[in-house]
Structure formats: C-alpha cells, structure tokens
C-alpha cells in the first residue's frame, strides 16, 4: 500500500523540527485541492502517513511547510519579512503503490529535500 510521509530536521540546531504545520494539496488542471493538514511531533515526524492507500494517486502534489512560525517559536531573530516563511515543495507521484518520503532539512536561510525511504 502506497503512502506519503515526511519529517523536518532543523539543521541549524541539529534537532527535529517540532510543531511545524504542514498542508498537503493535490495539483490538477491548474487547481490546488487541499487534502489535509498535520503538525510534526517531537521527533519532527507526523503521527500517521499524510496520505495512504486510495488517497494517494498518481499525479502532482504540494507539501506546504509553515517554517516561519517554527523559526519564530525557536527564537530565531530575523528581519521581517523573513527570508523563509512558507515553503512549498512540489513533487510527482508516478507509482501510488510505493512509499514517497519527502523530508525537509531546514535552517533559517536555506532548505533542501529529497526522496527518502
């Protein structure tokens, strides 16, 4: 059964990104369909897959990480507007029977992602 998961690592502090709100959208025909919202736990992960089974279909998706709120809560000082605030990650799902793990490695002035396992 396919599933979509994520986690957030605060690379500046070397710790999980706890309490980060993440929204998931399906993209099709120029529109964005909101599929759900979750928040990372103390390990920087979601308590359950973001999407699983029939909810994960081939197509394009977007995870939206509300990183600015997290960075503010961590006491990271920055000029407003922040360099990083809301981070959208768009990716494709070709085979919905597979596990798609899309983590966010975050610092106040940069981020990266990859397809994990």
């Amino acid at each position: 059964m396919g599933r979509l998961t994520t986690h957030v690592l605060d690379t500046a502090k070397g710790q999980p990104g706890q309490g980060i709100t993440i929204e998931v959208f399906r993209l099709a025909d120029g529109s964005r369909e909101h599929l759900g919202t979750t928040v990372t736990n103390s390990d920087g992960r979601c308590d359950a897959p973001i999407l699983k089974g029939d909810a994960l279909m081939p197509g394009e998706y977007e995870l939206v990480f509300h990183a600015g709120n997290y960075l503010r809560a961590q006491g990271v000082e920055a000029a407003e507007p922040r360099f990083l605030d809301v981070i959208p990650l768009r990716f494709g799902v070709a085979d919905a029977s597979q596990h798609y793990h899309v983590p966010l490695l975050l610092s106040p002035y940069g981020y990266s992602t990859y397809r994990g396992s």
Side-chain angles (χ1 to χ4, degrees), residues 24-28 31-36 57 61-62:
V24 62
F25 296 87
R26 183 176 292 119
L27 309 173
S31 67
R32 282 169 90 217
E33 177 187 2
H34 183 257
L35 301 178
M57 301 182 293
Y61 292 84
E62 180 179 71

Side-chain angles (χ1 to χ4, degrees), residues 2-6 24 49-52 56 63 91 99-100 102:
R3 65 191 188 279
L4 171 63
T5 59
T6 189
V24 62
I50 296 171
L51 297 173
K52 66 180 180 178
L56 183 65
L63 290 176
F91 58 95
H99 179 193
Y100 285 79
V102 184

Side-chain angles (χ1 to χ4, degrees), residues 22-90:
I22 304 166
E23 296 176 282
V24 62
F25 296 87
R26 183 176 292 119
L27 309 173
D29 301 321
S31 67
R32 282 169 90 217
E33 177 187 2
H34 183 257
L35 301 178
T37 302
T38 189
V39 177
T40 58
N41 62 23
S42 62
D43 195 33
R45 299 178 183 276
C46 303
D47 290 330
I50 296 171
L51 297 173
K52 66 180 180 178
D54 292 341
L56 183 65
M57 301 182 293
E60 294 183 66
Y61 292 84
E62 180 179 71
L63 290 176
V64 178
F65 296 83
H66 292 267
N69 294 337
Y70 166 79
L71 294 169
R72 282 182 199 87
Q74 294 299 303
V76 175
E77 294 187 25
E80 294 291 340
R82 288 187 171 270
F83 181 70
L84 293 177
D85 188 13
V86 177
I87 300 172
L89 295 180
R90 290 190 172 185

